[in-house]
Amino acid sequence: MYFESHAHYDDRAFDKDRHELLEKLQESGIDIIINAAADLSSSKEGIKLAKQYDFFYATVGVHPHAVEKLEDDHIHILRKYILEPKVVAIGEIGLDYYYEHSPREVQKKWFEKQITLAKENKLPIIVHSRDAAKDTYDILQQHASTLYGGVIHCYSGSLEMAKEYVDMGFYLGVGGVITFKNAKKLVEVVREIPLTSLLIETDAPYLTPIPHRGKRNDSTMLPYIAQAIADIKQISLEEVVEQTRENGRNLFLPK
Ligand code: NI
């Protein structure tokens, strides 16, 4: 049974067949889905879906792309959403200097605010970081000892930094990029970092793995990602699936 640690089923790419697809996923070997929120309305949609499907869990948070539109008192809306059932993390939050849809200072401010929110509510965080490795690291390092865990989603940094994040107690999220030909750095990370610190994720509808690149992504693609990890680490597919499931449950659904 696969643990999907990061997908966006509230995305409009799923508007036409969302329920058909989710019903199919529940019957086809997907144990748990963690839906990563992108903004206020997506947080709300995720919560709604979590009420409809047993195997579906929601997160609450605003992606760095969307923080520019936030006003300071929107933190109260996030606070209210967190109290809903089956909200298991704050995310995805972080820094994106590649697209830089929001000014860097605004991104940093909301990253910190949402980290604080996670700590107040004893929830783990889902971190997005693109072309912002140093600032992300600096901020997370300040908070690491008081966090309730987290994952660096779609990890794309160096092996050295990966080791530091693992030492700080973070999981690394591995998705479709691991099947791409130019994924050399990530292959090295997956080879060297213990399986006990990895999660698998699709980031659906984005980042579809080979051989389906170009099509819409969904959680039925997880086996391609798990198989790529198994090949790199020279272990069985079953071991990857079972260990990443246990990791996901430890982070998001602790007993
Ligand atoms: Ni995402």
Side-chain angles (χ1 to χ4, degrees):
M1 297 281 274
Y2 288 84
F3 193 104
E4 165 69 277
S5 65
H6 191 116
H8 301 276
Y9 285 110
D10 58 277
D11 193 281
R12 25 162 215 247
F14 297 108
D15 279 355
K16 280 203 181 117
D17 61 347
R18 179 173 295 110
H19 292 285
E20 217 181 305
L21 177 63
L22 288 173
E23 272 155 34
K24 187 180 85 178
L25 292 180
Q26 196 163 21
E27 290 160 10
S28 69
I30 309 296
D31 179 32
I32 299 287
I33 289 175
I34 305 295
N35 194 68
D39 56 25
L40 292 176
S41 70
S42 130
S43 299
K44 196 175 172 187
E45 283 307 306
I47 289 166
K48 214 158 102 188
L49 289 168
K51 287 177 182 164
Q52 293 172 55
Y53 296 95
D54 285 352
F55 77 136
F56 195 103
Y57 289 80
T59 75
V60 163
V62 181
H63 190 286
H65 287 346
V67 290
E68 196 185 11
K69 294 191 192 107
L70 287 178
E71 288 163 29
D72 281 345
D73 62 355
H74 283 155
I75 196 86
H76 301 304
I77 301 178
L78 292 170
R79 281 216 172 90
K80 198 179 77 186
Y81 287 164
I82 291 170
L83 302 176
E84 293 280 347
K86 296 173 77 185
V87 171
V88 294
I90 300 298
E92 57 182 287
I93 58 174
L95 304 173
D96 194 313
Y97 297 169
Y98 179 79
Y99 287 108
E100 216 168 332
H101 288 331
S102 309
R104 292 183 184 196
E105 287 314 307
V106 178
Q107 293 190 34
K108 283 192 219 170
K109 180 181 92 175
W110 278 98
F111 189 24
E112 295 258 16
K113 269 179 185 272
Q114 294 184 93
I115 290 172
T116 303
L117 199 59
K119 292 201 270 196
E120 284 168 5
N121 290 278
K122 303 189 168 143
L123 291 173
I125 56 173
I126 298 175
V127 178
H128 170 104
S129 175
R130 189 156 184 204
D131 282 7
K134 188 177 183 305
D135 284 358
T136 306
Y137 179 81
D138 288 347
I139 289 174
L140 290 177
Q141 200 189 26
Q142 281 170 35
H143 293 277
S145 63
T146 49
L147 277 175
Y148 290 81
V151 53
I152 314 297
H153 132 73
C154 195
Y155 185 75
S156 62
S158 67
L159 175 60
E160 291 67 38
M161 198 166 264
K163 286 179 178 165
E164 301 218 29
Y165 278 128
V166 168
D167 285 345
M168 285 189 223
F170 283 97
Y171 289 93
L172 306 179
V174 179
V177 174
I178 194 65
T179 67
F180 299 173
K181 279 203 182 68
N182 57 2
K184 263 192 200 145
K185 210 165 60 171
L186 183 59
V187 167
E188 193 192 2
V189 168
V190 166
R191 190 187 300 121
E192 300 297 327
I193 296 296
L195 190 59
T196 46
S197 292
L198 301 181
L199 293 175
I200 54 172
E201 59 171 55
T202 59
D203 204 19
Y206 313 106
L207 291 174
T208 311
I210 286 173
H212 295 289
R213 209 172 169 183
K215 286 192 215 153
R216 184 184 71 177
N217 201 1
D218 68 54
S219 304
T220 60
M221 306 284 181
L222 284 172
Y224 296 107
I225 295 158
Q227 186 63 56
I229 296 173
D231 292 345
I232 291 163
K233 289 183 127 13
Q234 300 187 327
I235 54 178
S236 71
L237 174 65
E238 195 57 25
E239 192 179 344
V240 175
V241 174
E242 284 312 311
Q243 185 62 56
T244 53
R245 177 186 183 209
E246 198 181 317
N247 297 345
R249 284 185 168 268
N250 286 341
L251 179 61
F252 293 112
L253 307 169
K255 294 224 171 74

PDB file of all heavy atoms in Angstrom, residues 6 21 42 64 67 76 97 104 127 143 145 157 161 167 179 193 204 211 215 225 245 253:
ATOM      1  N   HIS A   6       2.230  13.832  -0.950  1.00  0.00           N
ATOM      2  CA  HIS A   6       2.066  15.210  -1.462  1.00  0.00           C
ATOM      3  C   HIS A   6       1.339  15.205  -2.804  1.00  0.00           C
ATOM      4  O   HIS A   6       1.893  14.787  -3.819  1.00  0.00           O
ATOM      5  CB  HIS A   6       3.448  15.845  -1.629  1.00  0.00           C
ATOM      6  CG  HIS A   6       3.430  17.314  -1.902  1.00  0.00           C
ATOM      7  ND1 HIS A   6       3.960  18.246  -1.034  1.00  0.00           N
ATOM      8  CD2 HIS A   6       2.955  18.034  -2.948  1.00  0.00           C
ATOM      9  CE1 HIS A   6       3.811  19.454  -1.536  1.00  0.00           C
ATOM     10  NE2 HIS A   6       3.218  19.362  -2.710  1.00  0.00           N
ATOM     11  N   LEU A  21     -11.846   9.658  -9.871  1.00  0.00           N
ATOM     12  CA  LEU A  21     -10.435   9.323  -9.669  1.00  0.00           C
ATOM     13  C   LEU A  21     -10.168   8.918  -8.217  1.00  0.00           C
ATOM     14  O   LEU A  21      -9.530   7.890  -7.952  1.00  0.00           O
ATOM     15  CB  LEU A  21      -9.571  10.517 -10.063  1.00  0.00           C
ATOM     16  CG  LEU A  21      -8.065  10.393  -9.862  1.00  0.00           C
ATOM     17  CD1 LEU A  21      -7.479   9.276 -10.736  1.00  0.00           C
ATOM     18  CD2 LEU A  21      -7.364  11.713 -10.186  1.00  0.00           C
ATOM     19  N   SER A  42      -7.713  26.631  -1.415  1.00  0.00           N
ATOM     20  CA  SER A  42      -7.298  25.240  -1.577  1.00  0.00           C
ATOM     21  C   SER A  42      -7.231  24.514  -0.228  1.00  0.00           C
ATOM     22  O   SER A  42      -7.544  23.324  -0.126  1.00  0.00           O
ATOM     23  CB  SER A  42      -5.985  25.200  -2.368  1.00  0.00           C
ATOM     24  OG  SER A  42      -5.015  24.437  -1.775  1.00  0.00           O
ATOM     25  N   PRO A  64       4.449  29.872  -1.288  1.00  0.00           N
ATOM     26  CA  PRO A  64       5.124  31.159  -1.504  1.00  0.00           C
ATOM     27  C   PRO A  64       4.603  31.927  -2.725  1.00  0.00           C
ATOM     28  O   PRO A  64       4.639  33.160  -2.735  1.00  0.00           O
ATOM     29  CB  PRO A  64       6.600  30.769  -1.667  1.00  0.00           C
ATOM     30  CG  PRO A  64       6.639  29.291  -1.809  1.00  0.00           C
ATOM     31  CD  PRO A  64       5.416  28.774  -1.133  1.00  0.00           C
ATOM     32  N   VAL A  67       1.526  34.098  -1.318  1.00  0.00           N
ATOM     33  CA  VAL A  67       1.536  34.868  -0.060  1.00  0.00           C
ATOM     34  C   VAL A  67       1.382  36.372  -0.279  1.00  0.00           C
ATOM     35  O   VAL A  67       0.950  37.091   0.623  1.00  0.00           O
ATOM     36  CB  VAL A  67       2.803  34.607   0.798  1.00  0.00           C
ATOM     37  CG1 VAL A  67       2.764  33.205   1.374  1.00  0.00           C
ATOM     38  CG2 VAL A  67       4.078  34.845   0.015  1.00  0.00           C
ATOM     39  N   HIS A  76      -5.775  34.403  10.937  1.00  0.00           N
ATOM     40  CA  HIS A  76      -6.915  33.903  11.721  1.00  0.00           C
ATOM     41  C   HIS A  76      -7.733  32.875  10.933  1.00  0.00           C
ATOM     42  O   HIS A  76      -8.305  31.961  11.511  1.00  0.00           O
ATOM     43  CB  HIS A  76      -7.810  35.059  12.167  1.00  0.00           C
ATOM     44  CG  HIS A  76      -7.082  36.058  12.998  1.00  0.00           C
ATOM     45  ND1 HIS A  76      -6.417  35.708  14.153  1.00  0.00           N
ATOM     46  CD2 HIS A  76      -6.858  37.385  12.824  1.00  0.00           C
ATOM     47  CE1 HIS A  76      -5.839  36.787  14.668  1.00  0.00           C
ATOM     48  NE2 HIS A  76      -6.078  37.806  13.868  1.00  0.00           N
ATOM     49  N   TYR A  97      12.331  31.426  -5.170  1.00  0.00           N
ATOM     50  CA  TYR A  97      13.012  32.558  -5.814  1.00  0.00           C
ATOM     51  C   TYR A  97      13.172  32.313  -7.312  1.00  0.00           C
ATOM     52  O   TYR A  97      13.740  33.120  -8.013  1.00  0.00           O
ATOM     53  CB  TYR A  97      14.390  32.783  -5.184  1.00  0.00           C
ATOM     54  CG  TYR A  97      14.373  33.173  -3.716  1.00  0.00           C
ATOM     55  CD1 TYR A  97      15.552  33.174  -2.972  1.00  0.00           C
ATOM     56  CD2 TYR A  97      13.195  33.561  -3.083  1.00  0.00           C
ATOM     57  CE1 TYR A  97      15.562  33.535  -1.639  1.00  0.00           C
ATOM     58  CE2 TYR A  97      13.190  33.918  -1.743  1.00  0.00           C
ATOM     59  CZ  TYR A  97      14.381  33.900  -1.018  1.00  0.00           C
ATOM     60  OH  TYR A  97      14.384  34.260   0.307  1.00  0.00           O
ATOM     61  N   ARG A 104      10.560  38.600  -2.019  1.00  0.00           N
ATOM     62  CA  ARG A 104      11.271  37.705  -1.082  1.00  0.00           C
ATOM     63  C   ARG A 104      10.969  38.006   0.379  1.00  0.00           C
ATOM     64  O   ARG A 104      10.817  37.087   1.184  1.00  0.00           O
ATOM     65  CB  ARG A 104      12.791  37.796  -1.328  1.00  0.00           C
ATOM     66  CG  ARG A 104      13.163  37.218  -2.664  1.00  0.00           C
ATOM     67  CD  ARG A 104      14.652  37.224  -2.917  1.00  0.00           C
ATOM     68  NE  ARG A 104      14.888  36.723  -4.276  1.00  0.00           N
ATOM     69  CZ  ARG A 104      16.043  36.307  -4.746  1.00  0.00           C
ATOM     70  NH1 ARG A 104      17.119  36.346  -3.971  1.00  0.00           N
ATOM     71  NH2 ARG A 104      16.162  35.866  -5.980  1.00  0.00           N
ATOM     72  N   VAL A 127       7.567  21.663   3.289  1.00  0.00           N
ATOM     73  CA  VAL A 127       8.360  22.801   2.835  1.00  0.00           C
ATOM     74  C   VAL A 127       8.594  22.758   1.330  1.00  0.00           C
ATOM     75  O   VAL A 127       9.019  21.743   0.778  1.00  0.00           O
ATOM     76  CB  VAL A 127       9.732  22.822   3.561  1.00  0.00           C
ATOM     77  CG1 VAL A 127      10.591  23.978   3.063  1.00  0.00           C
ATOM     78  CG2 VAL A 127       9.537  22.899   5.065  1.00  0.00           C
ATOM     79  N   HIS A 143      14.540  26.954  13.578  1.00  0.00           N
ATOM     80  CA  HIS A 143      13.330  26.401  14.188  1.00  0.00           C
ATOM     81  C   HIS A 143      13.402  24.897  14.449  1.00  0.00           C
ATOM     82  O   HIS A 143      12.538  24.349  15.128  1.00  0.00           O
ATOM     83  CB  HIS A 143      12.120  26.671  13.280  1.00  0.00           C
ATOM     84  CG  HIS A 143      11.773  28.113  13.175  1.00  0.00           C
ATOM     85  ND1 HIS A 143      11.003  28.767  14.114  1.00  0.00           N
ATOM     86  CD2 HIS A 143      12.097  29.051  12.248  1.00  0.00           C
ATOM     87  CE1 HIS A 143      10.868  30.038  13.769  1.00  0.00           C
ATOM     88  NE2 HIS A 143      11.510  30.240  12.639  1.00  0.00           N
ATOM     89  N   SER A 145      14.826  22.622  16.202  1.00  0.00           N
ATOM     90  CA  SER A 145      14.775  21.908  17.478  1.00  0.00           C
ATOM     91  C   SER A 145      13.392  21.999  18.131  1.00  0.00           C
ATOM     92  O   SER A 145      13.084  21.225  19.034  1.00  0.00           O
ATOM     93  CB  SER A 145      15.841  22.457  18.419  1.00  0.00           C
ATOM     94  OG  SER A 145      15.568  23.808  18.684  1.00  0.00           O
ATOM     95  N   GLY A 157      18.126  19.730  -3.588  1.00  0.00           N
ATOM     96  CA  GLY A 157      19.407  20.318  -3.182  1.00  0.00           C
ATOM     97  C   GLY A 157      20.557  19.325  -3.252  1.00  0.00           C
ATOM     98  O   GLY A 157      20.454  18.240  -3.829  1.00  0.00           O
ATOM     99  N   MET A 161      23.569  19.140   1.931  1.00  0.00           N
ATOM    100  CA  MET A 161      22.432  19.772   2.591  1.00  0.00           C
ATOM    101  C   MET A 161      21.379  18.723   2.981  1.00  0.00           C
ATOM    102  O   MET A 161      20.757  18.832   4.042  1.00  0.00           O
ATOM    103  CB  MET A 161      21.831  20.840   1.690  1.00  0.00           C
ATOM    104  CG  MET A 161      20.973  21.797   2.457  1.00  0.00           C
ATOM    105  SD  MET A 161      20.571  23.264   1.521  1.00  0.00           S
ATOM    106  CE  MET A 161      21.824  24.404   2.079  1.00  0.00           C
ATOM    107  N   ASP A 167      19.731  15.224   9.598  1.00  0.00           N
ATOM    108  CA  ASP A 167      20.214  15.385  10.975  1.00  0.00           C
ATOM    109  C   ASP A 167      19.268  16.257  11.797  1.00  0.00           C
ATOM    110  O   ASP A 167      19.146  16.098  13.007  1.00  0.00           O
ATOM    111  CB  ASP A 167      21.609  16.015  10.998  1.00  0.00           C
ATOM    112  CG  ASP A 167      22.681  15.012  10.581  1.00  0.00           C
ATOM    113  OD1 ASP A 167      22.380  13.794  10.569  1.00  0.00           O
ATOM    114  OD2 ASP A 167      23.809  15.435  10.257  1.00  0.00           O
ATOM    115  N   THR A 179      12.800  10.042 -11.955  1.00  0.00           N
ATOM    116  CA  THR A 179      12.770   9.235 -13.187  1.00  0.00           C
ATOM    117  C   THR A 179      13.319  10.008 -14.391  1.00  0.00           C
ATOM    118  O   THR A 179      13.441   9.451 -15.474  1.00  0.00           O
ATOM    119  CB  THR A 179      11.326   8.787 -13.524  1.00  0.00           C
ATOM    120  OG1 THR A 179      10.541   9.942 -13.877  1.00  0.00           O
ATOM    121  CG2 THR A 179      10.672   8.062 -12.367  1.00  0.00           C
ATOM    122  N   ILE A 193      21.099   8.704   1.176  1.00  0.00           N
ATOM    123  CA  ILE A 193      20.251   8.982   2.347  1.00  0.00           C
ATOM    124  C   ILE A 193      19.458   7.716   2.706  1.00  0.00           C
ATOM    125  O   ILE A 193      18.877   7.077   1.832  1.00  0.00           O
ATOM    126  CB  ILE A 193      19.293  10.162   2.046  1.00  0.00           C
ATOM    127  CG1 ILE A 193      20.077  11.462   1.797  1.00  0.00           C
ATOM    128  CG2 ILE A 193      18.260  10.344   3.165  1.00  0.00           C
ATOM    129  CD1 ILE A 193      20.863  11.988   2.982  1.00  0.00           C
ATOM    130  N   ALA A 204       0.989  15.618  -7.789  1.00  0.00           N
ATOM    131  CA  ALA A 204      -0.064  15.652  -8.810  1.00  0.00           C
ATOM    132  C   ALA A 204      -0.877  16.937  -8.683  1.00  0.00           C
ATOM    133  O   ALA A 204      -1.140  17.354  -7.554  1.00  0.00           O
ATOM    134  CB  ALA A 204      -0.991  14.445  -8.637  1.00  0.00           C
ATOM    135  N   PRO A 211       7.319   6.860 -17.638  1.00  0.00           N
ATOM    136  CA  PRO A 211       7.137   7.123 -19.071  1.00  0.00           C
ATOM    137  C   PRO A 211       5.873   7.915 -19.412  1.00  0.00           C
ATOM    138  O   PRO A 211       5.469   7.899 -20.575  1.00  0.00           O
ATOM    139  CB  PRO A 211       7.027   5.702 -19.622  1.00  0.00           C
ATOM    140  CG  PRO A 211       6.278   4.967 -18.548  1.00  0.00           C
ATOM    141  CD  PRO A 211       6.707   5.585 -17.246  1.00  0.00           C
ATOM    142  N   LYS A 215       1.677  14.028 -19.445  1.00  0.00           N
ATOM    143  CA  LYS A 215       0.275  13.800 -19.075  1.00  0.00           C
ATOM    144  C   LYS A 215       0.012  14.345 -17.668  1.00  0.00           C
ATOM    145  O   LYS A 215       0.941  14.609 -16.918  1.00  0.00           O
ATOM    146  CB  LYS A 215      -0.018  12.294 -19.055  1.00  0.00           C
ATOM    147  CG  LYS A 215      -0.130  11.666 -20.432  1.00  0.00           C
ATOM    148  CD  LYS A 215      -0.698  10.263 -20.269  1.00  0.00           C
ATOM    149  CE  LYS A 215      -0.076   9.324 -21.286  1.00  0.00           C
ATOM    150  NZ  LYS A 215      -0.047   7.939 -20.838  1.00  0.00           N
ATOM    151  N   ILE A 225       7.891   5.905  -9.193  1.00  0.00           N
ATOM    152  CA  ILE A 225       8.822   6.610  -8.308  1.00  0.00           C
ATOM    153  C   ILE A 225       9.453   5.617  -7.321  1.00  0.00           C
ATOM    154  O   ILE A 225      10.667   5.598  -7.123  1.00  0.00           O
ATOM    155  CB  ILE A 225       8.071   7.749  -7.576  1.00  0.00           C
ATOM    156  CG1 ILE A 225       7.608   8.789  -8.605  1.00  0.00           C
ATOM    157  CG2 ILE A 225       8.928   8.373  -6.489  1.00  0.00           C
ATOM    158  CD1 ILE A 225       6.458   9.662  -8.161  1.00  0.00           C
ATOM    159  N   ARG A 245       5.791   4.132   3.577  1.00  0.00           N
ATOM    160  CA  ARG A 245       4.463   4.184   4.203  1.00  0.00           C
ATOM    161  C   ARG A 245       4.598   4.379   5.714  1.00  0.00           C
ATOM    162  O   ARG A 245       3.905   5.197   6.325  1.00  0.00           O
ATOM    163  CB  ARG A 245       3.721   2.887   3.901  1.00  0.00           C
ATOM    164  CG  ARG A 245       2.365   2.786   4.545  1.00  0.00           C
ATOM    165  CD  ARG A 245       1.824   1.410   4.287  1.00  0.00           C
ATOM    166  NE  ARG A 245       0.495   1.217   4.807  1.00  0.00           N
ATOM    167  CZ  ARG A 245       0.032   0.032   5.201  1.00  0.00           C
ATOM    168  NH1 ARG A 245       0.805  -1.046   5.137  1.00  0.00           N
ATOM    169  NH2 ARG A 245      -1.185  -0.082   5.655  1.00  0.00           N
ATOM    170  N   LEU A 253       0.669  10.964  10.778  1.00  0.00           N
ATOM    171  CA  LEU A 253      -0.399  10.328  11.556  1.00  0.00           C
ATOM    172  C   LEU A 253       0.181   9.632  12.791  1.00  0.00           C
ATOM    173  O   LEU A 253      -0.043   8.435  12.996  1.00  0.00           O
ATOM    174  CB  LEU A 253      -1.133   9.292  10.683  1.00  0.00           C
ATOM    175  CG  LEU A 253      -1.671   9.791   9.334  1.00  0.00           C
ATOM    176  CD1 LEU A 253      -2.121   8.616   8.465  1.00  0.00           C
ATOM    177  CD2 LEU A 253      -2.821  10.757   9.548  1.00  0.00           C
TER     178      LEU A 253
END
